[in-house]
Amino acid sequence: MTNINTAGTFKLGDRTVKRLGYGAMQLAGPGVFGPPKDRNAAVAVLREAVASGVDHIDTSDFYGPHVTNQIIREALHPYPDDLVIVTKISARRGARGSWIPAMSPKELTQAVHDNLRNLGLERLEVVNLRSMLGVHGPVEGSLEPQLTVLAELQRQGLVRHIGLSNVTSTQITEGRRICEIVCVQNMYNLAHRDDDALVDELAAAGIAYVPFFPLGGFTPLQSTILSDVAGQLGATPMQVALAWLLQRAPNILLIPGTSSVGHLRENLAAADLKLSGETVAMLNQIAADPVHA
């Protein structure tokens, strides 16, 4: 059985978590909307993750909506003392599953209460404010009004720590003047490396960087180089992609998602995979020329 402790740990707020966690997005139905086809299977994945040593689960009440958090509560409540559940706010879902900004003070406050209710918690350990100024990637613009609301909810004791998601370096700097920022969650993987400098800046500041879509997202990473390296190592391409992220910087916390126990075990096994300097150099070519890699 894989020992995910080999991947190491990093601070998330005032808690220390293992660097291999779990992202719950895929526990909802197709398009992260509606219920899963097999709720029992979703419960089983969560219980397997915790049994395997995972102590960091990423979720949101707009997954489903509400569905994913309700499944987490069914599977794991009362929660283990060492389990850190991280959620995010600032969006809502349309009738057909569209993603709609929900960044007013009323909407943000309601989102925190929705997460508390559906997770069965009195306080949320970490809440990420996801910028919806740009749905498909970071867009510059002040997040001070939204962070001020979240900081007030923190003072009320409903939120313990605050993070940011889908943001720029400028927005992080602004955010750190308003409240402590314990993590940043942006898109980052072997082929999408816009945040290279930011990862290193946050590492120097002791702030966790949590890449979403570490395996490419709804369109999995496809690369001849990645497949060749995986074949040479006797691993899957996804295991290699996760191992590369673990070696990229010590502050990277991984939250690969899956609705399959088998895929969960494969993802966690990336903790045992060590890449040589030569292999890392080969993989770095993917971002340099993703079309031909």
Side-chain angles (χ1 to χ4, degrees):
M1 184 176 179
T2 298
N3 180 2
I4 65 171
N5 292 317
T6 58
T9 61
F10 196 77
K11 296 286 278 186
L12 185 54
D14 58 3
R15 304 280 289 273
T16 297
V17 298
K18 295 166 189 173
R19 293 181 62 212
L20 258 173
Y22 173 74
M25 175 187 271
Q26 293 188 34
L27 295 184
V32 202
F33 193 67
K37 288 185 290 186
D38 188 339
R39 189 181 181 97
N40 289 335
V43 168
V45 169
L46 285 162
R47 290 177 176 167
E48 176 72 16
V50 171
S52 300
V54 167
D55 58 9
H56 169 206
I57 292 177
D58 180 84
T59 186
S60 174
D61 210 58
F62 55 68
Y63 295 164
H66 315 308
V67 171
T68 296
N69 280 352
Q70 291 168 357
I71 293 174
I72 290 172
R73 181 176 183 174
E74 176 185 341
L76 303 176
H77 195 278
Y79 302 111
D81 291 341
D82 65 345
L83 181 63
V84 177
I85 298 178
V86 179
T87 189
K88 66 183 70 63
I89 61 173
S90 76
R92 61 183 176 88
R93 307 303 292 279
R96 297 185 179 180
S98 58
W99 303 82
I100 302 169
M103 298 176 69
S104 71
K106 181 179 179 180
E107 288 170 316
L108 295 172
T109 301
Q110 184 62 52
V112 165
H113 284 282
D114 286 345
N115 277 279
L116 288 167
R117 182 182 66 256
N118 286 310
L119 287 168
L121 291 169
E122 295 182 354
R123 178 171 61 177
L124 299 172
E125 187 70 25
V126 182
V127 175
N128 286 324
L129 175 71
R130 188 192 196 282
S131 171
M132 293 295 286
L133 298 177
V135 176
H136 301 294
V139 171
E140 292 289 4
S142 177
L143 296 174
E144 181 176 0
Q146 293 79 24
L147 270 177
T148 300
V149 172
L150 196 49
E152 175 56 31
L153 293 169
Q154 184 182 45
R155 283 189 287 273
Q156 294 174 18
L158 301 178
V159 173
R160 183 162 186 162
H161 297 296
I162 295 172
L164 290 169
S165 178
N166 196 41
V167 290
T168 68
S169 180
T170 300
Q171 289 164 334
I172 296 167
T173 300
E174 175 191 56
R176 294 181 71 189
R177 290 197 293 265
I178 299 167
C179 58
E180 181 186 9
I181 300 298
V182 302
C183 59
V184 172
Q185 189 178 106
N186 277 2
M187 182 175 177
Y188 186 76
N189 55 49
L190 263 171
H192 189 282
R193 296 183 56 179
D194 292 353
D195 274 2
D196 263 344
L198 179 59
V199 170
D200 296 331
E201 291 171 14
L202 295 175
I207 297 173
Y209 183 93
V210 188
F212 62 74
F213 293 159
L215 301 177
F218 298 108
T219 303
L221 293 171
Q222 299 290 327
S223 162
T224 300
I225 292 175
L226 182 58
S227 297
D228 288 348
V229 168
Q232 293 166 14
L233 296 175
T236 69
M238 299 303 96
Q239 287 171 333
V240 173
L242 292 174
W244 179 86
L245 284 165
L246 287 172
Q247 290 185 213
R248 169 62 184 83
N251 63 322
I252 288 182
L253 300 177
L254 297 186
I255 50 168
T258 179
S259 58
S260 158
V261 168
H263 287 157
L264 171 70
R265 291 171 178 162
E266 287 182 6
N267 289 341
L268 297 182
D272 296 327
L273 193 58
K274 303 303 178 188
L275 307 178
S276 68
E278 181 181 358
T279 298
V280 169
M282 289 178 60
L283 293 170
N284 286 343
Q285 296 175 33
I286 295 173
D289 189 8
V291 175
H292 299 100

